[in-house]
Amino acid sequence: MSAAAGSPPRRGAWRALAAAQRRFPLLQLVLLVVAFVVGVVTLPGFGGGLSVVSVLVIAALAGLASIGQTITILVGGFDLSVAGFIVAGALLVTQVSEQLGIGFWGAFLILVPGALVLGGLVGYLSHRFRIQPLILTLAMGSFALGIVRGPSGLAVVGQAPTWLTGLSSPISTTFGLPVPPIIVIWVLVTIALAVFLRFTVGGRRLYLTGANPVAAEYALVRTRRVWVIAFAFSALCSALAGVMLVSFSGNVDPNLGNPYLFISLAAVIVGGTTGGGPGDYTRTVVGALLLTMVTTVLVGHGLTSADQQIMYGAVILLAMAIYGRERRIRDRV
Amino acid sequence: MPTVDGVLLRMESVGKAFGPTVAVRDASLEVHRGEVHALMGENGSGKSTIVKILSGVHAPDRGRILLAGRAVAAFRTPAAALRSGIATVFQEVLAAPNRTVFDNLWLGADGLFRIAQGPRERRRRAEAALAELLVSPPPLDALVGDLDLSDRQACAIARALLRDPDLLILDEATSALDFDTRNRLFEIVRRRVAAGSGVVLITHRMDEVREVADRVTVLRSGETVATLDGAEWTTAEVVRLMTGQAHQLGDEARTDRARRAPGDVVLQASGLRVRADAAPLDFELRAGEIVGLAGLEGQGQDAFLRALWGLGDAGGAVTRVSSRGRQPIASKHAARRARIAYVPRERRAESIFDWMSILENFTATTLRRDRRGWLLSGRSALRRLTDYVERLRIKLGRPEDGIGTLSGGNQQKVIIARSLAAEPEVLLLNDPTRGIDIGAKRDLYALLEGLAAEGLAVVMLSTELEEHLELMDRVLVFRDDELAAVFPHEGLTREALVASFFGAEELAS
Amino acid sequence: MSAVAAPRRAGEPRLRRLLRRHGYLLALGLTIVLLAVNLVLQPNFGWIAQLASFAPLAVAAAASMPSIVSGRGGIDMSIGPVMTLSGIVFAGYLAPNGLGGLEALPILMLLGGAIGAVNGLIVIWLRLSPIVVTLAMYFIVIGINLKLAPTPMRLADDNWATSLAGSIGGFPGPLISLAIPVALWALLGLTAFRRNLYAVGGNDATAFTAGIAVSAVRVVAFALGGAFAGIAGLVLVALVRTADSSTSSAYTLIAIAAVALGGTSLAGGAGGMTGALLGAASIFLVQSVLADAQVPQTWLPAIYGAMLIVAVVVGALLSGERTGRRA
């Protein structure tokens, strides 16, 4: 303890930086700027308006697909049903709505309660029987995909309505602003979630549940309810992200969701949110921007999708090594 | 071959800190061959940490350990300590519940792949060890999880005995044992020391120390205070050495407490059972009263307190009586509506949100009070906390700092402030002074007395005798999950209380 | 929340007690029933062909099992990709270079074992949750697979391994595939390792204080799983005769489901090889029944998902863990 007082000032500066890093993803922001500058210098046209908007649209898709992951990780869980629900959501508003002739909004009316019920069931079962949410979310993602795909058969048909594709086309505008609506949606969602997590009773209960589920029960937080809501919300977010992805790509591919499973995990973890907190969605936004920026620059330099996979894996390990540690076995005796 | 005299283990000026908390400041210990050496000290005096250092769980920050005259730098793992001939039975019953008795007894006796002995030899020795310890030993193929607590603890002891250690450490290893097994264990212990090995005994039962210990080393706040020979020590002296003072509260407080008259009944329990097959008990709590729950560890007082908060599941009814009428308390949420607050026992596991701020920890149960419209008001929370910072004398930097920046005592004050913020009329405290410093304890006593004077009814489980003697208006003693005795404040003595813990009420009167 | 909290179980029903101790009984019953249904639906049940299609899943389940038994959520997500990697290395790199013979088996086991060991070492050194570490490894290995085999790699039809899916001198090849992990596991039962593994999985703090090298046990458990995955990859490529990097994730989920269905508690310290194989058999036979009943492929994810959910919930109910109330 006395050593701290006598230490050279440089260590003090390090400490201040480390403290700042704990509060805010400083390092990630610096890396984001570095990646952007490298891109502008080495890739022609990278700094142009349309190019930047395209990167933002891709980041917005990644960010929107990571909302549920952020919330479930904050309550101390995990959500591996992202891919399944994304495809389920995407298929519902295209193929299924076409086959049943119920139109986009008809499908939407099935999607919302359906995702909420299935996701909520995961939260309930996982909390009630203390089952790793990992297993249950994987299973539920598969189930959701299956019950949407099952009746409709192998051939994937169906197109997104044109107004939907306008949401995320880089050349579209929002009320005169030169950005596509998806970016505006992302900004609004980010603000709403920041306010919810920081300044509402519900948000605080979510943090309490993640920080110490036993203490939260003693503090009269109904933690099972929190888990049910968190996982239901997460499933809904993934399904809606699927709708957004349809708007981006125009059609559906059963493998559409796969990349987003690890993108969502990587975005949350790289942003610096750890299981049970601390963390918030703003960090995930920074994580999604950083990942998208770095990937785009590297793809510009010939990075393949195989390299991307490896990079995401390595990045998850690296970020976890910095942020998350379990207790030593000695301390549990 | 071991000589009967001579030093088996010498520990010199050992220190160990966990982050900012100093667990052991400067502890020395010398165990001779052929002796049972008792290690005594209050909660948080560093006993358990010393045991963990000697058994290789933790490495000391400084100091020396000599075993049979040779310096051991420090044991890096429990395996290393075991190889050096030190076997430990830990405070918590450490058994693998899904494994058989046989597997548990030989747990860790092998290498990663290498098997040390044949199974037949092992079964024979395991059976012999259990038969020595237990009147009716469980079958070797039973799952440990299916045994009762006493047998599980016996398995952990037998495991240590089977290693045939030079030094056997028993850290509160007798607490869960039934009477026969305990006597048999002491018989084995005597036989072992007669053969030249050493035993370190840690127990909260003074009579056990009296019964088997040859010498006693007393610890206080992580320092060795004295080592006494078996012939020369008295209970009073050891208690004085452990506490460093005779009383924790002034006489003035004591007389104040004695004079106050209790108010109306606020809480009733009728036919309440702590365990389904235990005798039911009735209980009434009055406004302004402080009732203590006492007994040896795990005798049902904990379950009783939790039952008062609506967490009982073994039968009986708890009813809150107030001007609002009679409200049944069947869940913790019902308890909260009836203005009953509960402070859990394990601070780290059950109370603290460790990465969150002091302020966030404080507001956890009363979030709605800070709601302005849809949003939480930080200013409102801060204003509420400020009240309690003064009343509880909480020493903190900024309320936004992490709860981890506070000392244990101040953390506990924040937790109690959290409960008080709900403005309870009945306060249930589960051993709230465990492991906190004496200054914080005093602040807490003063607070509770003040609140009781304002009409708050308090039920407090405590593992410290002093608290029952000084603070409580009434003390309920539990034994075997049943109410064993009730003592009024007047005339309550330490001897009476301790005697009743052991079922020796006749000594009390 | 250590052993102290273990409940008294005097009044527990006998059936549940039996199931808790022998978790594989449920899967055994299921296997028998499903096998009967299969035989009724499909009177000319081709045993060797069925066993050959069953073997990859069975060995994959065996590969997922050791790390799960080692406790603390030791689920190895990288089993599926490692299987595919093993197949790619065998079909695309070893066989064309004259190493396609029996010597390939130990090489592939070493490869898988090394990846598993890396998983285990990262888990213990960085003190990270096994799920996160193996998930990262899952992505990394999929990436490696995509690099090594951008297009599916074919195995020559005359390679000895193809007989693993047929017969070897009249003896069913798939039984040999299954025998390798079973024999290894049995061999380990003769050493102290398996006892150590269950002790660590049951309560690692107890195992640590009793002197067991907990970290080493964990690393070996992950390495063993990896080695089994190496075998599983070979068995799969023997069956389908191509190694396709796009199927990297096919077996992870279903292998874990098999282990869970076989009564191995995901909390660790219980279950084992018998359970894993019977769990795999149950899942395989369900697949087979569905195929007989001509349920379309697209339904399969829903059915697997539902089965897995039911399996883990039933498993949690039977394992006798105290459920529900956390405070």
Side-chain angles (χ1 to χ4, degrees), chain A residues 199-200 208 212 215 217-220 222 276-277 330 333, chain B residues 52 57 76 306 332 336 349-350 352-353 355 365 375-376:
Chain A
F199 296 114
T200 66
L208 292 171
N212 186 341
E217 273 292 318
Y218 279 114
L220 299 160
R222 295 176 196 265
R330 298 172 189 280
V333 172
Chain B
K52 283 174 185 167
V57 173
R76 290 182 51 210
R306 291 163 56 89
K332 55 184 185 281
R336 174 225 194 60
E350 299 174 342
I352 292 289
F353 300 97
W355 62 262
T365 37
L375 302 179
L376 289 171

PDB file of all heavy atoms in Angstrom, chain A residues 199-200 208 212 215 217-220 222 276-277 330 333, chain B residues 52 57 76 306 332 336 349-350 352-353 355 365 375-376:
ATOM      1  N   PHE A 199     -30.796   4.903 -16.568  1.00  0.00           N
ATOM      2  CA  PHE A 199     -31.672   5.789 -15.802  1.00  0.00           C
ATOM      3  C   PHE A 199     -33.052   5.228 -15.486  1.00  0.00           C
ATOM      4  O   PHE A 199     -33.932   5.981 -15.101  1.00  0.00           O
ATOM      5  CB  PHE A 199     -31.836   7.128 -16.541  1.00  0.00           C
ATOM      6  CG  PHE A 199     -30.546   7.887 -16.669  1.00  0.00           C
ATOM      7  CD1 PHE A 199     -29.973   8.101 -17.915  1.00  0.00           C
ATOM      8  CD2 PHE A 199     -29.899   8.373 -15.542  1.00  0.00           C
ATOM      9  CE1 PHE A 199     -28.780   8.799 -18.024  1.00  0.00           C
ATOM     10  CE2 PHE A 199     -28.704   9.075 -15.648  1.00  0.00           C
ATOM     11  CZ  PHE A 199     -28.142   9.277 -16.896  1.00  0.00           C
ATOM     12  N   THR A 200     -33.270   3.940 -15.685  1.00  0.00           N
ATOM     13  CA  THR A 200     -34.594   3.439 -15.324  1.00  0.00           C
ATOM     14  C   THR A 200     -34.472   2.308 -14.292  1.00  0.00           C
ATOM     15  O   THR A 200     -33.414   1.700 -14.142  1.00  0.00           O
ATOM     16  CB  THR A 200     -35.356   2.874 -16.543  1.00  0.00           C
ATOM     17  OG1 THR A 200     -34.676   1.713 -16.996  1.00  0.00           O
ATOM     18  CG2 THR A 200     -35.461   3.888 -17.656  1.00  0.00           C
ATOM     19  N   LEU A 208     -28.340  -5.331 -11.598  1.00  0.00           N
ATOM     20  CA  LEU A 208     -28.249  -5.983 -10.289  1.00  0.00           C
ATOM     21  C   LEU A 208     -28.283  -7.500 -10.465  1.00  0.00           C
ATOM     22  O   LEU A 208     -27.522  -8.235  -9.843  1.00  0.00           O
ATOM     23  CB  LEU A 208     -29.401  -5.541  -9.381  1.00  0.00           C
ATOM     24  CG  LEU A 208     -29.389  -4.077  -8.932  1.00  0.00           C
ATOM     25  CD1 LEU A 208     -30.691  -3.718  -8.218  1.00  0.00           C
ATOM     26  CD2 LEU A 208     -28.209  -3.794  -8.007  1.00  0.00           C
ATOM     27  N   ASN A 212     -24.839  -9.790  -9.316  1.00  0.00           N
ATOM     28  CA  ASN A 212     -24.858 -10.817  -8.271  1.00  0.00           C
ATOM     29  C   ASN A 212     -26.283 -11.338  -8.124  1.00  0.00           C
ATOM     30  O   ASN A 212     -27.100 -10.757  -7.414  1.00  0.00           O
ATOM     31  CB  ASN A 212     -24.366 -10.226  -6.938  1.00  0.00           C
ATOM     32  CG  ASN A 212     -24.226 -11.291  -5.864  1.00  0.00           C
ATOM     33  OD1 ASN A 212     -24.800 -12.371  -5.970  1.00  0.00           O
ATOM     34  ND2 ASN A 212     -23.467 -10.989  -4.832  1.00  0.00           N
ATOM     35  N   ALA A 215     -27.517 -11.903  -4.480  1.00  0.00           N
ATOM     36  CA  ALA A 215     -27.750 -10.652  -3.769  1.00  0.00           C
ATOM     37  C   ALA A 215     -28.973  -9.934  -4.344  1.00  0.00           C
ATOM     38  O   ALA A 215     -29.742  -9.312  -3.607  1.00  0.00           O
ATOM     39  CB  ALA A 215     -26.522  -9.755  -3.853  1.00  0.00           C
ATOM     40  N   GLU A 217     -31.658 -11.317  -5.556  1.00  0.00           N
ATOM     41  CA  GLU A 217     -32.843 -11.945  -4.955  1.00  0.00           C
ATOM     42  C   GLU A 217     -33.061 -11.414  -3.546  1.00  0.00           C
ATOM     43  O   GLU A 217     -34.185 -11.088  -3.168  1.00  0.00           O
ATOM     44  CB  GLU A 217     -32.671 -13.468  -4.924  1.00  0.00           C
ATOM     45  CG  GLU A 217     -33.121 -14.178  -6.190  1.00  0.00           C
ATOM     46  CD  GLU A 217     -34.638 -14.109  -6.385  1.00  0.00           C
ATOM     47  OE1 GLU A 217     -35.384 -14.275  -5.398  1.00  0.00           O
ATOM     48  OE2 GLU A 217     -35.078 -13.885  -7.527  1.00  0.00           O
ATOM     49  N   TYR A 218     -32.009 -11.327  -2.773  1.00  0.00           N
ATOM     50  CA  TYR A 218     -32.139 -10.788  -1.412  1.00  0.00           C
ATOM     51  C   TYR A 218     -32.565  -9.325  -1.431  1.00  0.00           C
ATOM     52  O   TYR A 218     -33.204  -8.854  -0.506  1.00  0.00           O
ATOM     53  CB  TYR A 218     -30.832 -10.946  -0.633  1.00  0.00           C
ATOM     54  CG  TYR A 218     -30.648 -12.319  -0.049  1.00  0.00           C
ATOM     55  CD1 TYR A 218     -29.632 -13.150  -0.495  1.00  0.00           C
ATOM     56  CD2 TYR A 218     -31.493 -12.788   0.944  1.00  0.00           C
ATOM     57  CE1 TYR A 218     -29.463 -14.417   0.026  1.00  0.00           C
ATOM     58  CE2 TYR A 218     -31.339 -14.055   1.466  1.00  0.00           C
ATOM     59  CZ  TYR A 218     -30.323 -14.873   1.010  1.00  0.00           C
ATOM     60  OH  TYR A 218     -30.179 -16.115   1.531  1.00  0.00           O
ATOM     61  N   ALA A 219     -32.159  -8.631  -2.498  1.00  0.00           N
ATOM     62  CA  ALA A 219     -32.557  -7.231  -2.615  1.00  0.00           C
ATOM     63  C   ALA A 219     -33.936  -7.125  -3.269  1.00  0.00           C
ATOM     64  O   ALA A 219     -34.323  -6.053  -3.725  1.00  0.00           O
ATOM     65  CB  ALA A 219     -31.516  -6.455  -3.414  1.00  0.00           C
ATOM     66  N   LEU A 220     -34.652  -8.234  -3.329  1.00  0.00           N
ATOM     67  CA  LEU A 220     -36.039  -8.294  -3.779  1.00  0.00           C
ATOM     68  C   LEU A 220     -36.227  -7.981  -5.258  1.00  0.00           C
ATOM     69  O   LEU A 220     -37.287  -7.558  -5.683  1.00  0.00           O
ATOM     70  CB  LEU A 220     -36.921  -7.382  -2.918  1.00  0.00           C
ATOM     71  CG  LEU A 220     -36.918  -7.791  -1.449  1.00  0.00           C
ATOM     72  CD1 LEU A 220     -37.356  -6.652  -0.563  1.00  0.00           C
ATOM     73  CD2 LEU A 220     -37.792  -8.998  -1.218  1.00  0.00           C
ATOM     74  N   ARG A 222     -36.852  -9.519  -8.751  1.00  0.00           N
ATOM     75  CA  ARG A 222     -37.354 -10.817  -9.233  1.00  0.00           C
ATOM     76  C   ARG A 222     -36.494 -11.228 -10.414  1.00  0.00           C
ATOM     77  O   ARG A 222     -36.790 -10.918 -11.559  1.00  0.00           O
ATOM     78  CB  ARG A 222     -38.819 -10.706  -9.609  1.00  0.00           C
ATOM     79  CG  ARG A 222     -39.706 -10.404  -8.402  1.00  0.00           C
ATOM     80  CD  ARG A 222     -41.149 -10.216  -8.854  1.00  0.00           C
ATOM     81  NE  ARG A 222     -41.939  -9.559  -7.818  1.00  0.00           N
ATOM     82  CZ  ARG A 222     -42.676 -10.213  -6.924  1.00  0.00           C
ATOM     83  NH1 ARG A 222     -42.719 -11.522  -6.935  1.00  0.00           N
ATOM     84  NH2 ARG A 222     -43.353  -9.555  -6.019  1.00  0.00           N
ATOM     85  N   GLY A 276     -22.351 -10.416 -16.782  1.00  0.00           N
ATOM     86  CA  GLY A 276     -22.810  -9.865 -15.509  1.00  0.00           C
ATOM     87  C   GLY A 276     -22.382  -8.417 -15.299  1.00  0.00           C
ATOM     88  O   GLY A 276     -22.483  -7.903 -14.192  1.00  0.00           O
ATOM     89  N   GLY A 277     -21.887  -7.787 -16.336  1.00  0.00           N
ATOM     90  CA  GLY A 277     -21.473  -6.399 -16.231  1.00  0.00           C
ATOM     91  C   GLY A 277     -20.089  -6.281 -15.631  1.00  0.00           C
ATOM     92  O   GLY A 277     -19.527  -7.283 -15.201  1.00  0.00           O
ATOM     93  N   ARG A 330      -8.048 -21.134  -5.561  1.00  0.00           N
ATOM     94  CA  ARG A 330      -7.608 -20.925  -4.174  1.00  0.00           C
ATOM     95  C   ARG A 330      -8.611 -20.078  -3.401  1.00  0.00           C
ATOM     96  O   ARG A 330      -8.798 -20.248  -2.213  1.00  0.00           O
ATOM     97  CB  ARG A 330      -6.281 -20.179  -4.138  1.00  0.00           C
ATOM     98  CG  ARG A 330      -5.150 -20.909  -4.784  1.00  0.00           C
ATOM     99  CD  ARG A 330      -3.920 -20.033  -4.885  1.00  0.00           C
ATOM    100  NE  ARG A 330      -2.917 -20.684  -5.707  1.00  0.00           N
ATOM    101  CZ  ARG A 330      -2.120 -21.647  -5.256  1.00  0.00           C
ATOM    102  NH1 ARG A 330      -2.182 -21.999  -4.001  1.00  0.00           N
ATOM    103  NH2 ARG A 330      -1.267 -22.231  -6.050  1.00  0.00           N
ATOM    104  N   VAL A 333     -11.817 -21.912  -1.947  1.00  0.00           N
ATOM    105  CA  VAL A 333     -11.746 -22.951  -0.909  1.00  0.00           C
ATOM    106  C   VAL A 333     -12.453 -22.461   0.350  1.00  0.00           C
ATOM    107  O   VAL A 333     -12.205 -21.351   0.777  1.00  0.00           O
ATOM    108  CB  VAL A 333     -10.287 -23.314  -0.603  1.00  0.00           C
ATOM    109  CG1 VAL A 333     -10.231 -24.238   0.600  1.00  0.00           C
ATOM    110  CG2 VAL A 333      -9.659 -23.968  -1.801  1.00  0.00           C
TER     111      VAL A 333
ATOM    112  N   LYS B  52      -4.860 -22.111   5.768  1.00  0.00           N
ATOM    113  CA  LYS B  52      -4.739 -22.200   4.311  1.00  0.00           C
ATOM    114  C   LYS B  52      -3.292 -22.026   3.861  1.00  0.00           C
ATOM    115  O   LYS B  52      -2.891 -22.593   2.844  1.00  0.00           O
ATOM    116  CB  LYS B  52      -5.652 -21.169   3.652  1.00  0.00           C
ATOM    117  CG  LYS B  52      -7.099 -21.638   3.688  1.00  0.00           C
ATOM    118  CD  LYS B  52      -8.075 -20.609   3.177  1.00  0.00           C
ATOM    119  CE  LYS B  52      -9.501 -21.121   3.372  1.00  0.00           C
ATOM    120  NZ  LYS B  52     -10.484 -20.068   3.179  1.00  0.00           N
ATOM    121  N   VAL B  57      -2.923 -23.827   0.303  1.00  0.00           N
ATOM    122  CA  VAL B  57      -3.969 -23.174  -0.486  1.00  0.00           C
ATOM    123  C   VAL B  57      -3.521 -21.769  -0.873  1.00  0.00           C
ATOM    124  O   VAL B  57      -3.634 -21.356  -2.019  1.00  0.00           O
ATOM    125  CB  VAL B  57      -5.304 -23.134   0.282  1.00  0.00           C
ATOM    126  CG1 VAL B  57      -6.314 -22.304  -0.474  1.00  0.00           C
ATOM    127  CG2 VAL B  57      -5.821 -24.540   0.481  1.00  0.00           C
ATOM    128  N   ARG B  76       3.355 -24.620  -2.524  1.00  0.00           N
ATOM    129  CA  ARG B  76       2.728 -23.949  -3.657  1.00  0.00           C
ATOM    130  C   ARG B  76       1.338 -24.493  -3.934  1.00  0.00           C
ATOM    131  O   ARG B  76       0.500 -23.811  -4.507  1.00  0.00           O
ATOM    132  CB  ARG B  76       3.617 -24.051  -4.887  1.00  0.00           C
ATOM    133  CG  ARG B  76       4.873 -23.192  -4.712  1.00  0.00           C
ATOM    134  CD  ARG B  76       5.752 -23.227  -5.935  1.00  0.00           C
ATOM    135  NE  ARG B  76       4.991 -22.934  -7.139  1.00  0.00           N
ATOM    136  CZ  ARG B  76       5.303 -23.437  -8.319  1.00  0.00           C
ATOM    137  NH1 ARG B  76       6.305 -24.262  -8.431  1.00  0.00           N
ATOM    138  NH2 ARG B  76       4.593 -23.116  -9.372  1.00  0.00           N
ATOM    139  N   ARG B 306     -34.563 -16.846   8.606  1.00  0.00           N
ATOM    140  CA  ARG B 306     -35.044 -16.778   7.229  1.00  0.00           C
ATOM    141  C   ARG B 306     -36.546 -17.047   7.154  1.00  0.00           C
ATOM    142  O   ARG B 306     -37.244 -16.459   6.316  1.00  0.00           O
ATOM    143  CB  ARG B 306     -34.283 -17.771   6.348  1.00  0.00           C
ATOM    144  CG  ARG B 306     -32.824 -17.364   6.137  1.00  0.00           C
ATOM    145  CD  ARG B 306     -31.994 -18.524   5.635  1.00  0.00           C
ATOM    146  NE  ARG B 306     -32.552 -19.075   4.400  1.00  0.00           N
ATOM    147  CZ  ARG B 306     -32.234 -18.635   3.193  1.00  0.00           C
ATOM    148  NH1 ARG B 306     -31.346 -17.681   3.057  1.00  0.00           N
ATOM    149  NH2 ARG B 306     -32.780 -19.166   2.131  1.00  0.00           N
ATOM    150  N   LYS B 332     -40.725 -13.480   0.641  1.00  0.00           N
ATOM    151  CA  LYS B 332     -39.939 -12.306   0.997  1.00  0.00           C
ATOM    152  C   LYS B 332     -40.587 -11.031   0.478  1.00  0.00           C
ATOM    153  O   LYS B 332     -40.401  -9.962   1.048  1.00  0.00           O
ATOM    154  CB  LYS B 332     -38.488 -12.439   0.533  1.00  0.00           C
ATOM    155  CG  LYS B 332     -38.268 -12.720  -0.928  1.00  0.00           C
ATOM    156  CD  LYS B 332     -36.776 -12.913  -1.179  1.00  0.00           C
ATOM    157  CE  LYS B 332     -36.445 -13.090  -2.638  1.00  0.00           C
ATOM    158  NZ  LYS B 332     -36.714 -14.432  -3.153  1.00  0.00           N
ATOM    159  N   ARG B 336     -41.572  -7.767   2.643  1.00  0.00           N
ATOM    160  CA  ARG B 336     -41.235  -6.384   2.345  1.00  0.00           C
ATOM    161  C   ARG B 336     -42.466  -5.480   2.428  1.00  0.00           C
ATOM    162  O   ARG B 336     -42.414  -4.393   2.992  1.00  0.00           O
ATOM    163  CB  ARG B 336     -40.636  -6.316   0.928  1.00  0.00           C
ATOM    164  CG  ARG B 336     -40.370  -4.904   0.429  1.00  0.00           C
ATOM    165  CD  ARG B 336     -40.873  -4.817  -0.993  1.00  0.00           C
ATOM    166  NE  ARG B 336     -40.451  -3.668  -1.764  1.00  0.00           N
ATOM    167  CZ  ARG B 336     -39.221  -3.322  -2.063  1.00  0.00           C
ATOM    168  NH1 ARG B 336     -38.232  -3.991  -1.594  1.00  0.00           N
ATOM    169  NH2 ARG B 336     -38.989  -2.286  -2.804  1.00  0.00           N
ATOM    170  N   ALA B 349     -21.170 -12.923  -1.003  1.00  0.00           N
ATOM    171  CA  ALA B 349     -21.991 -13.770  -1.864  1.00  0.00           C
ATOM    172  C   ALA B 349     -23.440 -13.296  -1.937  1.00  0.00           C
ATOM    173  O   ALA B 349     -24.101 -13.467  -2.955  1.00  0.00           O
ATOM    174  CB  ALA B 349     -21.938 -15.214  -1.374  1.00  0.00           C
ATOM    175  N   GLU B 350     -23.950 -12.714  -0.850  1.00  0.00           N
ATOM    176  CA  GLU B 350     -25.388 -12.474  -0.784  1.00  0.00           C
ATOM    177  C   GLU B 350     -25.793 -10.997  -0.723  1.00  0.00           C
ATOM    178  O   GLU B 350     -26.972 -10.688  -0.771  1.00  0.00           O
ATOM    179  CB  GLU B 350     -25.971 -13.187   0.455  1.00  0.00           C
ATOM    180  CG  GLU B 350     -25.771 -14.687   0.408  1.00  0.00           C
ATOM    181  CD  GLU B 350     -26.222 -15.384   1.687  1.00  0.00           C
ATOM    182  OE1 GLU B 350     -26.366 -14.711   2.729  1.00  0.00           O
ATOM    183  OE2 GLU B 350     -26.419 -16.599   1.649  1.00  0.00           O
ATOM    184  N   ILE B 352     -23.326  -7.981  -1.710  1.00  0.00           N
ATOM    185  CA  ILE B 352     -22.575  -6.965  -2.450  1.00  0.00           C
ATOM    186  C   ILE B 352     -22.716  -7.166  -3.960  1.00  0.00           C
ATOM    187  O   ILE B 352     -22.664  -8.278  -4.453  1.00  0.00           O
ATOM    188  CB  ILE B 352     -21.074  -7.061  -2.063  1.00  0.00           C
ATOM    189  CG1 ILE B 352     -20.882  -6.642  -0.608  1.00  0.00           C
ATOM    190  CG2 ILE B 352     -20.213  -6.231  -2.974  1.00  0.00           C
ATOM    191  CD1 ILE B 352     -21.062  -5.184  -0.371  1.00  0.00           C
ATOM    192  N   PHE B 353     -22.917  -6.051  -4.662  1.00  0.00           N
ATOM    193  CA  PHE B 353     -22.807  -6.058  -6.125  1.00  0.00           C
ATOM    194  C   PHE B 353     -21.434  -5.496  -6.421  1.00  0.00           C
ATOM    195  O   PHE B 353     -21.246  -4.277  -6.431  1.00  0.00           O
ATOM    196  CB  PHE B 353     -23.917  -5.213  -6.742  1.00  0.00           C
ATOM    197  CG  PHE B 353     -25.287  -5.716  -6.382  1.00  0.00           C
ATOM    198  CD1 PHE B 353     -25.999  -5.149  -5.333  1.00  0.00           C
ATOM    199  CD2 PHE B 353     -25.847  -6.777  -7.067  1.00  0.00           C
ATOM    200  CE1 PHE B 353     -27.242  -5.631  -4.991  1.00  0.00           C
ATOM    201  CE2 PHE B 353     -27.102  -7.257  -6.721  1.00  0.00           C
ATOM    202  CZ  PHE B 353     -27.800  -6.684  -5.680  1.00  0.00           C
ATOM    203  N   TRP B 355     -18.994  -4.910  -8.621  1.00  0.00           N
ATOM    204  CA  TRP B 355     -18.424  -3.881  -9.490  1.00  0.00           C
ATOM    205  C   TRP B 355     -19.241  -2.587  -9.471  1.00  0.00           C
ATOM    206  O   TRP B 355     -18.883  -1.607 -10.094  1.00  0.00           O
ATOM    207  CB  TRP B 355     -18.261  -4.383 -10.922  1.00  0.00           C
ATOM    208  CG  TRP B 355     -19.529  -4.787 -11.635  1.00  0.00           C
ATOM    209  CD1 TRP B 355     -20.000  -6.052 -11.764  1.00  0.00           C
ATOM    210  CD2 TRP B 355     -20.472  -3.945 -12.297  1.00  0.00           C
ATOM    211  NE1 TRP B 355     -21.176  -6.053 -12.455  1.00  0.00           N
ATOM    212  CE2 TRP B 355     -21.489  -4.766 -12.797  1.00  0.00           C
ATOM    213  CE3 TRP B 355     -20.556  -2.562 -12.508  1.00  0.00           C
ATOM    214  CZ2 TRP B 355     -22.577  -4.270 -13.499  1.00  0.00           C
ATOM    215  CZ3 TRP B 355     -21.650  -2.070 -13.208  1.00  0.00           C
ATOM    216  CH2 TRP B 355     -22.642  -2.918 -13.699  1.00  0.00           C
ATOM    217  N   THR B 365     -32.618  -1.999  -3.142  1.00  0.00           N
ATOM    218  CA  THR B 365     -33.978  -2.443  -2.792  1.00  0.00           C
ATOM    219  C   THR B 365     -35.015  -1.331  -2.874  1.00  0.00           C
ATOM    220  O   THR B 365     -36.203  -1.594  -2.764  1.00  0.00           O
ATOM    221  CB  THR B 365     -34.043  -2.970  -1.351  1.00  0.00           C
ATOM    222  OG1 THR B 365     -33.206  -2.182  -0.555  1.00  0.00           O
ATOM    223  CG2 THR B 365     -33.657  -4.415  -1.261  1.00  0.00           C
ATOM    224  N   LEU B 375     -37.760   8.184 -15.050  1.00  0.00           N
ATOM    225  CA  LEU B 375     -36.313   8.032 -14.878  1.00  0.00           C
ATOM    226  C   LEU B 375     -35.887   8.060 -13.422  1.00  0.00           C
ATOM    227  O   LEU B 375     -36.575   8.604 -12.553  1.00  0.00           O
ATOM    228  CB  LEU B 375     -35.587   9.143 -15.650  1.00  0.00           C
ATOM    229  CG  LEU B 375     -35.893   9.172 -17.152  1.00  0.00           C
ATOM    230  CD1 LEU B 375     -35.148  10.304 -17.818  1.00  0.00           C
ATOM    231  CD2 LEU B 375     -35.544   7.840 -17.800  1.00  0.00           C
ATOM    232  N   LEU B 376     -34.720   7.492 -13.176  1.00  0.00           N
ATOM    233  CA  LEU B 376     -34.152   7.507 -11.842  1.00  0.00           C
ATOM    234  C   LEU B 376     -33.422   8.830 -11.621  1.00  0.00           C
ATOM    235  O   LEU B 376     -32.694   9.293 -12.482  1.00  0.00           O
ATOM    236  CB  LEU B 376     -33.137   6.366 -11.698  1.00  0.00           C
ATOM    237  CG  LEU B 376     -33.706   4.952 -11.654  1.00  0.00           C
ATOM    238  CD1 LEU B 376     -32.570   3.936 -11.731  1.00  0.00           C
ATOM    239  CD2 LEU B 376     -34.494   4.752 -10.375  1.00  0.00           C
TER     240      LEU B 376
END
